[in-house]
């Protein structure tokens, strides 16, 4: 059953496209059955997990010779993530169905969505870290396809590439980190790695942590790699709600949580993650209150939330892990809901700025209700789950042994930004008197309502009865992260304590900034220059200089001039081969044989004709020289016992000369195209290369001359092939296939030449 | 005699390389032809040369006389001659076509292929 978790979405990816063609309306509802079934299955597995069987393991051999297994691990942590992926996946399917109601691209979108779902489920359920890595990269690919979904827009393509390059670079770091980790632990399985003690003292510990955290930071949009996430909002809103808020960006968080029992509990881990998370929270908070467009606002607040999760993991105390788990769910609930609501608003009004929206509460009461629930949860108001989440974060920070004051300030500022975004996206458009957008006539369709409403109600009921959530879902997950027993007792109301006071301050500050938005933007305007020197500017600089470098080296190495390629090849060959020849000059010399005058004359004539060919100016002169060389060669073949060669050479030479005369001779003479110095340079190189060939032939002749193959043909020509001319027998019998190849070459050349000639005559007759 | 053939091979290769490095399309083809002659002669000579003794089986004998020429390089060269003819013929037609379109024999003009 378990592998179906990954296989079923893959099947979904394959059938979504034809299904959308066939069924039209109901496609999304049919597709939603797949994640729904997975969700129910995961709930059942979770129910069976108890303290004695902390993890449900399934394993299949893959490449057992190198110790690779397709093993899956279903434990508290992975099931918690799995429930989010399948649960929200179900709702996003329904949402996408309505969002792309009259759009032919619906099938393609759902197909990509399922591809992503399969990759993401594979990522969290892999027990083997190398298999995890494969799925990790697959999620990047799926994200690339979804961000660039509207590929006709340049901005979408750029954003997709940026996300791919950033997460891909992090992925490379992660791969190295995982291999180091696997070697250090002696196993590539999480089950063994988590059970390994003393990894913190391993000499590669620092490198492993830095590389793994780098991979996680790019995937989860931590500062300074956060810039790709707001740009990824170019994706259609259902994808943003799914990938870029509640699931994919949490892959890095998942990996850190998964490895924290093995790698955590050191100063490096603490300061690295707390610093990274804190910085990301501040950057995300700052940028989100500068925004007025709905989706980028939510994206920046997602960055804040991801920073919060990393911070909690870094703190690593039981309270912090509790906050981590609660906030993971809180954030997924309200952020997916708010993204869907933002998508609905943009879809209905074609307006992306929140301050232009208003008065929608009366027309879209149900959307307004879900907006209210999500916004209150995000702002951290009771009795929603968001309140429990925020209180537990404050609690975790308040009981931190070091740097308490700074962390409290960071947490408060991050939540102030959350309040701001929550009110701006979830309340403003519905409860303000009226906006400046095009009028909206009706409520959103059922598919677009189901997701936000259900998530909002979940947030409400989980806030009212937090004990159930804590007991069934958070306790097993927390045990996995912390590596020891712990009990979650979530309560909605803790009484008036420090955490509650901080909540009140947060709320007041957030609403204040929103009320004095214009003066606030004016005051902070001088700080806009930071965008020009920030990490995104560095990214663009790096990409541009890379392109420049490749253009430069292409122009240098791949210039396209045959003669310079040849010059370089010849010069290199002369250099290297003559060096090698110098080392071993053959000892023996050629035996002196008799010289004959007519043979010498023929050789001299050919050589002179070849030399003249290099200097000749007229086409007919070239033709004459060529003829002398060719017929001279035929004579040489006659002298040295090769009548067949001589005959062939004469026929071919005659044909060549005829061709040459027909095609090239009746044209004006050669022009002088190159300067004398260039000709001299080429002459020297060509002479050296020719000389080198001569030396090579000489040393071949001077060395051993046994002819083991020839004897076979000589002896068997008559008995086996019944032919007296051994050369002919070789060609048509012993090596007949070679001759067939030769004929094929000739046929292809003939067809090619004929086509070119016909092209020419057609053109001529046309003109 | 062999040494003079070695020198001839060197000259043919040298002239062939020189012509291949020219800017004129036709000279490049001429270079190609010289190179194929040079390569053929190289294979033919490298096996050792024998005067006036073709590898033929005479009547009433079952094998060519001892000391006759090696048939294997001859078979190789025969194939090579025919194939190089195919290449030359095609290259000549290609050259003619390019010349008709461009009105020039200069390879550097070939970058203007949008005609």
């Amino acid at each position: 059953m378990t592998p179906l978790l990954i296989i079923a979405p893959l099947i979904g990816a394959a059938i979504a496209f034809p299904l959308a063609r066939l069924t039209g309306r109901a496609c999304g509802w049919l597709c939603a059955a797949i994640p729904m079934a997975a969700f129910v299955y995961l709930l059942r597995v979770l129910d069976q997990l108890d303290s004695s069987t902390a993890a449900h393991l399934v394993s299949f051999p893959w490449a057992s010779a190198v110790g690779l297994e397709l093993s899956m691990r279903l434990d508290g942590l992975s099931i918690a993530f799995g429930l989010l992926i399948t649960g929200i996946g179900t709702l996003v399917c329904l949402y996408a169905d309505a969002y792309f109601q009259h759009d032919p691209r619906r099938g393609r979108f759902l197909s990509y969505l399922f591809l992503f779902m399969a990759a993401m489920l594979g990522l969290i359920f892999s027990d083997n870290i190398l298999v995890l890595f494969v799925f990790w990269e697959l999620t990047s690919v799926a994200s690339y396809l979804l961000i660039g979904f509207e590929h006709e827009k340049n901005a979408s393509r750029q954003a997709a590439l940026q996300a791919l390059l950033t997460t891909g670079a992090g992925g490379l770091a992660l791969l190295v980190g995982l291999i180091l980790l696997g070697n250090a632990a002696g196993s590539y399985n999480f089950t063994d790695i988590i059970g390994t003690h003393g990894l913190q003292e391993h000499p590669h510990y620092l490198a492993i942590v830095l590389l793994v955290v780098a991979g996680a930071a790019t995937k989860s949009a931590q500062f300074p790699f956060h810039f790709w996430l707001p740009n990824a909002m170019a994706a259609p809103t259902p994808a943003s709600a799914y990938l870029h808020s509640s699931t994919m960006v949490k892959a890095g968080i998942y990996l850190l949580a998964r490895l924290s029992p093995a790698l955590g509990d050191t100063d490096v881990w603490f300061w690295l993650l707390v610093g990274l998370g804190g910085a990301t929270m501040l950057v995300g908070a700052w940028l989100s209150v500068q925004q007025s467009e709905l989706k980028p606002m939510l994206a920046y607040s997602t960055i804040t939330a991801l920073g919060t999760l990393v911070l909690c993991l870094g703190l690593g105390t039981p309270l912090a892990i509790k906050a981590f788990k609660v906030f993971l769910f809180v954030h997924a609930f309200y952020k997916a809901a708010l993204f869907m609501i933002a998508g609905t608003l943009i879809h209905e009004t074609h307006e992306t700025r929140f301050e232009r929206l208003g008065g929608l509460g009366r027309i879209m009461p149900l959307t307004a209700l879900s907006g209210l629930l999500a916004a209150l949860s995000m702002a951290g108001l009771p009795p929603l789950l968001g309140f429990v989440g925020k209180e537990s974060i404050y609690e975790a920070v308040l009981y931190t042994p070091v740097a308490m004051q700074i962390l409290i300030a960071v947490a408060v500022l991050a939540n102030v930004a959350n309040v701001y975004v929550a009110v701006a996206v979830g309340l403003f458009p519905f409860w303000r008197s009226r906006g400046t957008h095009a009028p909206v006539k009706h409520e959103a369709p059922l598919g677009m309502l189901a997701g936000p409403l259900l998530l909002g109600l979940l947030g409400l009921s989980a806030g009212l009865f937090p004990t159930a959530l804590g007991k069934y879902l958070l306790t097993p997950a927390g045990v996995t992260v912390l590596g020891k027993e712990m009990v979650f007792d979530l309560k909605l109301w803790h009484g008036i304590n420090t955490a509650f006071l901080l909540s009140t301050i947060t709320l007041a500050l957030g609403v204040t900034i929103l009320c004095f938005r214009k003066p606030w933007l004016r005051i902070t305007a001088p700080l806009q220059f930071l965008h020009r020197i920030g990490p995104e500017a560095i990214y663009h600089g790096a990409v541009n200089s890379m392109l420049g470098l490749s253009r430069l080296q292409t122009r240098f190495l791949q210039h396209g001039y045959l003669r310079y390629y040849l010059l370089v090849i010849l010069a290199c060959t002369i250099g290297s081969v003559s060096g090698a020849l110098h080392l071993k000059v053959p000892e023996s010399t050629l035996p002196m044989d008799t010289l004959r005058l007519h043979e010498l004359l023929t050789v001299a004539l050919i050589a002179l004709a070849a030399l003249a060919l290099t200097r000749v100016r007229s086409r007919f002169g070239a033709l004459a020289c060529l003829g002398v060389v060719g017929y001279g060669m035929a004579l040489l073949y006659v002298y040295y016992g090769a009548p067949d060669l001589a005959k062939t050479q004469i026929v071919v030479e005659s044909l060549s000369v005829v061709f040459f005369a027909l095609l090239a001779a009746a044209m004006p003479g050669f022009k002088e195209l190159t300067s004398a110095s260039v000709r001299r340079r080429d002459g020297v190189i060509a002479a050296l290369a020719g000389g080198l060939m001569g030396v090579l032939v000489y040393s071949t002749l001077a060395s051993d001359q046994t002819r083991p193959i020839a004897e076979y043909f000589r002896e068997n020509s008559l008995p086996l092939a019944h032919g007296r001319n051994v050369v002919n027998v070789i060609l048509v019998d012993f090596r007949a296939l070679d001759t067939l190849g030769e004929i094929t070459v000739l046929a292809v050349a003939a067809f090619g030449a004929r086509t070119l000639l016909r092209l020419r005559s057609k053109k001529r007759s046309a003109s | 005699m062999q040494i003079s053939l070695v020198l001839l091979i060197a000259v043919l290769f040298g002239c062939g390389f020189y012509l291949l490095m020219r800017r004129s399309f036709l000279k490049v083809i001429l270079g190609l032809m010289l190179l194929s002659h040079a390569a053929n002669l190289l294979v033919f000579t490298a096996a050792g040369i024998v005067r006036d003794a073709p590898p033929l089986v005479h009547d009433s004998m079952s094998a060519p006389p001892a000391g006759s020429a090696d048939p294997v390089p001859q078979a190789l060269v025969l194939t090579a001659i025919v194939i190089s003819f195919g290449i030359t013929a095609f290259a000549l037609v290609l050259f003619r076509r390019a010349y008709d379109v461009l009105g020039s024999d200069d390879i550097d003009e070939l970058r203007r292929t949008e005609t």
Side-chain angles (χ1 to χ4, degrees):
Chain A
M1 265 306 274
T2 318
L4 271 181
L5 278 174
I6 302 166
I7 296 167
L10 275 182
I11 296 172
I15 62 166
F17 191 71
L19 204 63
R21 281 279 172 82
L22 285 176
T23 58
R25 274 198 66 97
C27 167
W29 295 82
L30 287 174
C31 286
I34 293 173
M36 190 67 217
F39 183 80
V40 173
Y41 173 72
L42 283 177
L43 276 182
R44 274 192 50 212
V45 176
L46 185 70
D47 199 39
Q48 287 159 4
L49 285 183
D50 53 46
S51 51
S52 59
T53 56
H56 178 65
L57 288 169
V58 198
S59 174
F60 305 91
W62 180 18
S64 39
V66 288
L68 261 185
E69 281 179 336
L70 284 179
S71 43
M72 296 174 70
R73 182 184 168 91
L74 276 70
D75 60 11
L77 182 67
S78 56
I79 289 179
F81 275 89
L83 287 174
L84 282 180
I85 293 161
T86 51
I88 295 180
T90 311
L91 300 176
V92 166
C93 268
L94 301 183
Y95 186 84
D97 187 60
Y99 189 87
F100 286 104
Q101 189 60 61
H102 303 293
D103 197 325
R105 298 173 302 175
R106 178 167 57 172
R108 187 156 64 93
F109 182 83
L110 285 171
S111 197
Y112 292 163
L113 206 67
F114 274 109
L115 184 70
F116 165 76
M117 197 186 290
M120 194 66 201
L121 288 171
L123 192 159
I124 55 159
F125 288 127
S126 300
D127 193 31
N128 189 301
I129 51 177
L130 294 179
V131 178
L132 171 130
F133 179 76
V134 172
F135 283 118
W136 178 283
E137 295 294 19
L138 266 180
T139 60
S140 291
V141 173
S143 159
Y144 173 78
L145 291 173
L146 284 166
I147 298 172
F149 188 72
E150 289 173 358
H151 51 78
E152 64 277 9
K153 290 185 190 157
N154 187 33
S156 296
R157 295 198 302 273
Q158 294 291 334
L161 188 65
Q162 189 182 48
L164 187 72
L165 287 180
T166 314
T167 54
L172 286 181
L174 178 69
L175 179 62
V176 179
L178 288 179
I179 290 172
L180 282 179
L181 175 67
N183 285 347
S187 164
Y188 284 90
N189 285 341
F190 276 127
T191 312
D192 303 326
I193 291 170
I194 293 165
T196 312
H197 294 288
L199 272 178
Q200 283 91 342
E201 281 81 47
H202 195 275
H204 293 153
Y205 173 73
L206 186 64
I208 293 171
V209 168
L210 287 178
L211 289 166
V212 168
V213 170
T218 51
K219 195 77 164 176
S220 291
Q222 299 293 299
F223 178 81
F225 307 112
H226 61 280
F227 54 85
W228 70 265
L229 188 58
N231 293 335
M233 295 302 125
T237 308
S240 305
Y242 194 34
L243 274 72
H244 306 119
S245 70
S246 49
T247 54
M248 189 188 82
V249 287
K250 301 235 170 83
I253 310 285
Y254 163 78
L255 186 68
L256 293 180
R258 171 62 82 201
L259 289 174
S260 66
L263 298 176
D265 213 14
T266 62
D267 281 352
V268 175
W269 182 264
F270 179 87
W271 289 113
L272 190 62
L273 292 198
V274 169
L276 197 66
T280 309
M281 285 165 82
L282 286 180
V283 169
W286 169 259
L287 290 172
S288 60
V289 293
Q290 303 289 327
Q291 283 293 328
S292 66
E293 291 197 28
L294 294 168
K295 281 179 77 182
M297 236 169 142
L298 289 172
Y300 283 118
S301 80
T302 305
I303 292 174
T304 313
L306 295 169
T308 311
L309 290 169
V310 171
L311 179 90
C312 287
L313 281 176
L315 293 176
T317 56
L319 275 177
I321 297 303
K322 176 180 149 192
F324 168 81
K325 292 310 305 184
V326 181
F327 190 62
L328 183 72
F329 278 90
V330 172
H331 176 254
F333 287 173
Y334 74 65
K335 194 52 70 64
L338 281 178
F339 258 113
M340 293 188 206
I341 291 164
T344 309
L345 291 175
I346 297 170
H347 198 257
E348 301 294 334
T349 64
H350 303 290
E351 186 56 69
T352 57
R353 292 173 180 277
F354 81 90
E355 68 258 43
R356 296 193 189 152
L357 296 168
L360 292 164
R362 266 166 321 207
I363 311 160
M364 312 167 85
L366 287 173
T367 313
L369 174 65
S370 43
L372 176 73
L373 288 173
L376 291 185
S377 190
M378 183 169 178
L381 284 177
L384 288 121
L385 188 62
F387 177 73
V388 183
K390 192 181 56 173
E391 296 285 291
S392 45
I393 290 168
Y394 281 155
E395 229 176 352
V397 172
L398 277 172
Y399 294 101
T400 306
V402 282
M404 189 183 78
Q405 287 84 354
I406 300 173
L407 290 179
I408 291 174
V410 170
V412 169
L413 287 177
N415 277 308
V416 168
N418 274 349
V419 171
Y420 175 92
V421 173
V423 177
V425 178
L427 299 181
F428 222 71
F430 302 106
W431 309 106
R432 219 166 65 124
S433 54
R434 60 197 185 84
T436 55
H437 53 84
V440 178
K441 291 190 184 62
H442 52 81
E443 176 61 283
L446 180 59
M448 290 171 96
L449 265 177
L453 205 56
L454 205 62
L455 287 169
L457 290 175
L458 258 177
L460 179 65
S461 49
L464 288 172
F465 309 102
T467 333
L469 181 76
K471 188 167 168 232
Y472 289 111
L473 203 52
L474 303 189
T475 308
V479 172
T480 322
V481 179
L482 211 57
K484 52 180 180 256
E485 274 311 308
M486 64 181 296
V487 177
F488 279 92
D489 54 335
L490 290 183
K491 272 186 269 174
L492 182 62
W493 183 248
H494 287 269
I496 297 179
N497 53 13
T498 328
F500 183 74
L501 282 177
L502 288 176
S503 294
T504 321
I505 296 170
T506 312
L507 208 60
L509 266 176
V511 175
T512 312
I513 295 183
L514 193 67
C515 291
F516 297 99
R517 207 180 115 70
K518 286 202 173 123
W520 159 257
L521 283 179
R522 214 174 308 131
I523 295 166
T524 57
L527 289 167
Q528 291 295 323
F529 79 94
L530 285 171
H531 289 286
R532 285 201 304 279
I533 56 166
E536 187 164 15
I538 296 174
Y539 165 83
H540 286 302
V543 169
N544 286 337
S545 48
M546 182 108 90
L547 289 176
L549 185 72
S550 65
R551 262 195 297 273
L552 204 71
Q553 69 97 17
T554 307
R555 216 176 301 147
F556 181 67
L557 290 175
Q558 304 286 328
H559 42 66
Y561 289 99
L562 174 70
R563 53 186 183 279
Y564 296 130
Y565 290 138
L566 207 63
L567 202 68
V568 170
I569 291 171
L570 288 181
C572 292
T573 312
I574 293 166
S576 52
V577 177
S578 56
L581 273 181
H582 178 70
L583 290 178
K584 34 169 130 183
V585 183
E587 292 294 319
S588 55
T589 48
L590 275 183
M592 285 306 288
D593 53 356
T594 50
L595 287 174
R596 291 196 184 162
L597 189 62
H598 63 281
E599 292 176 9
L600 264 184
L601 276 177
T602 315
V603 167
L605 208 58
I606 297 174
L608 282 178
L611 286 169
L613 197 58
T614 62
R615 307 286 310 144
V616 75
R617 283 292 173 80
S618 77
R619 313 262 161 169
F620 274 107
L623 186 60
C625 294
L626 210 58
V628 171
V629 174
Y631 292 118
M633 291 289 293
L635 270 182
L636 287 184
Y637 293 137
V638 171
Y639 298 155
Y640 301 118
D644 298 293
L645 288 193
K647 276 182 266 176
T648 317
Q649 180 69 47
I650 287 170
V651 171
V652 160
E653 199 55 39
S654 309
L655 273 175
S656 294
V657 167
V658 169
F659 263 60
F660 194 90
L662 279 176
L663 288 166
M667 288 195 300
F670 294 107
K671 273 179 283 192
E672 204 152 76
L673 292 169
T674 42
S675 65
S677 63
V678 171
R679 288 203 299 275
R680 215 172 301 130
R681 178 199 65 195
D682 293 350
V684 169
I685 291 284
L688 283 174
L692 180 71
M693 294 307 292
V695 172
L696 286 176
V697 181
Y698 180 84
S699 38
T700 314
L701 285 173
S703 56
D704 181 37
Q705 284 195 25
T706 47
R707 303 183 286 185
I709 324 170
E711 289 315 312
Y712 172 83
F713 294 119
R714 287 160 167 281
E715 282 158 22
N716 291 315
S717 173
L718 190 62
L720 287 184
H722 307 288
R724 293 187 179 276
N725 183 332
V726 183
V727 176
N728 285 357
V729 166
I730 292 177
L731 284 174
V732 301
D733 195 311
F734 290 124
R735 309 292 310 164
L737 272 181
D738 292 1
T739 310
L740 186 69
E742 172 195 334
I743 293 168
T744 315
V745 170
L746 271 193
V748 170
F751 275 122
R754 185 181 144 75
T755 315
L756 281 175
L757 284 174
R758 276 184 55 152
L759 210 64
R760 187 178 147 219
S761 55
K762 252 187 211 164
K763 191 155 188 172
R764 190 170 281 174
S765 61
S767 64
Chain B
M1 203 57 225
Q2 277 181 336
I3 192 76
S4 65
L5 289 178
V6 171
L7 289 176
L8 179 60
I9 290 169
V11 170
L12 286 174
F13 267 114
C15 295
F17 287 142
Y18 179 81
L19 284 169
L20 272 186
M21 285 188 278
R22 308 279 37 90
R23 257 172 74 178
S24 156
F25 200 153
L26 196 59
K27 285 202 171 172
V28 172
I29 297 175
L30 292 177
L32 213 57
M33 291 161 125
L34 281 193
L35 269 193
S36 61
H37 284 313
N40 291 346
L41 196 59
L42 185 150
V43 173
F44 188 70
T45 315
I49 51 167
V50 184
R51 281 198 186 90
D52 304 327
L56 298 174
V57 185
H58 299 292
D59 294 338
S60 77
M61 291 179 77
S62 69
S68 62
D70 188 345
V72 178
Q74 292 195 17
L76 293 176
V77 171
L78 207 149
T79 310
I81 290 174
V82 176
I83 286 185
S84 69
F85 166 68
I87 292 171
T88 308
F90 183 74
L92 276 172
V93 172
L94 195 64
F95 155 76
R96 183 65 211 211
R97 172 88 188 120
Y99 186 86
D100 283 351
V101 170
L102 298 169
S104 165
D105 186 21
D106 190 350
I107 285 185
D108 287 10
E109 301 283 321
L110 271 183
R111 61 186 57 218
R112 291 190 299 123
T113 45
E114 300 279 332
T115 51

